[in-house]
Amino acid sequence: MKYGIVAFPSKRLQDLANTYRKRYDSHYSKITPHITLKEAFEADENEISNISQSIASIAANHAPLNIHASKISSFFPTTNVIYFKVEPTDQLQKIHQDLQQQLNIGKPKHVFIPHITIAQDLTATEHDDIYGQLRMIGVNEQEVIDRIHLVYQLEDGSWTTYETYRLTGAE
């Protein structure tokens, strides 16, 4: 089964992301707006309980995440993905690094760039049009996220929460 580890922002920030995702994100109905902390990986029923215990222990060592979605950016020319850029912090880097190293479930395919996707699977023309418009609107949201989630993919391609972990460590 396919799993991933994410942080869901507040409902307010999710609603803001969804105003764009409804129109521009082909995965809109598959998963709630999120920050990916560990990209999708395969695990079976036997492995997942150990993985879950490891995530719980990592979460216990990390304080709630202070995030700042500061601007609208794009992964162009690599892909036509548009996103809310979440300012990289030592705190985000450290939790990503701990998950990567302690879980030991595959090398990352991409460099860790904290973000919330708002548009994907666009043609080059759509990307250029939409990106130009959205950059003028911009984003500037700050908040605290106090939990992370182990999610898994259902047969229809959508994702749902397997388990939630509170971030209870000291700063």
Side-chain angles (χ1 to χ4, degrees):
M1 191 175 293
K2 214 180 236 184
Y3 294 88
I5 302 167
V6 301
F8 293 120
S10 68
K11 173 148 176 30
R12 190 170 60 83
L13 188 50
Q14 287 182 33
D15 288 347
L16 179 61
N18 278 334
T19 61
Y20 303 113
R21 291 183 71 228
K22 274 182 216 161
R23 293 171 53 198
Y24 307 125
D25 185 354
S26 60
H27 299 185
Y28 168 73
S29 64
K30 304 287 186 201
I31 189 163
T32 305
H34 63 281
I35 300 166
T36 301
L37 298 173
K38 173 73 180 114
E39 60 195 28
F41 60 91
E42 292 286 335
D44 63 31
E45 290 298 317
N46 300 330
E47 297 167 307
I48 206 62
S49 67
N50 289 337
I51 290 169
S52 182
Q53 287 173 2
S54 295
I55 298 168
S57 135
I58 292 166
N61 289 320
H62 285 274
L65 302 168
N66 293 299
I67 69 156
H68 178 204
S70 62
K71 69 179 190 177
I72 293 181
S73 198
S74 170
F75 288 127
F76 180 82
T78 309
T79 68
N80 288 342
V81 170
I82 301 171
Y83 58 89
F84 290 162
K85 177 183 182 175
V86 174
E87 287 302 318
T89 61
D90 290 344
Q91 190 187 26
L92 276 168
Q93 279 301 133
K94 182 77 174 106
I95 195 167
H96 168 74
Q97 193 175 11
D98 286 356
L99 290 165
Q100 194 60 48
Q101 291 171 346
Q102 293 178 36
L103 297 180
N104 195 22
I105 41 182
K107 295 258 183 271
K109 293 185 199 101
H110 310 285
V111 173
F112 179 59
I113 298 173
H115 69 281
I116 299 167
T117 300
I118 58 172
Q120 60 186 318
D121 297 329
L122 305 170
T123 66
T125 307
E126 287 172 328
H127 173 273
D128 293 348
D129 272 1
I130 295 163
Y131 185 46
Q133 290 171 34
L134 297 181
R135 280 190 52 181
M136 285 191 285
I137 297 166
V139 64
N140 185 15
E141 297 288 332
Q142 295 186 52
E143 61 185 44
V144 175
I145 297 175
D146 67 354
R147 54 198 77 190
I148 60 175
H149 310 269
L150 176 62
V151 295
Y152 67 99
Q153 193 170 34
L154 302 171
E155 284 182 20
D156 68 359
S158 65
W159 292 81
T160 193
T161 300
Y162 180 87
E163 196 157 339
T164 297
Y165 313 88
R166 291 187 65 86
L167 299 168
T168 57
E171 192 68 33

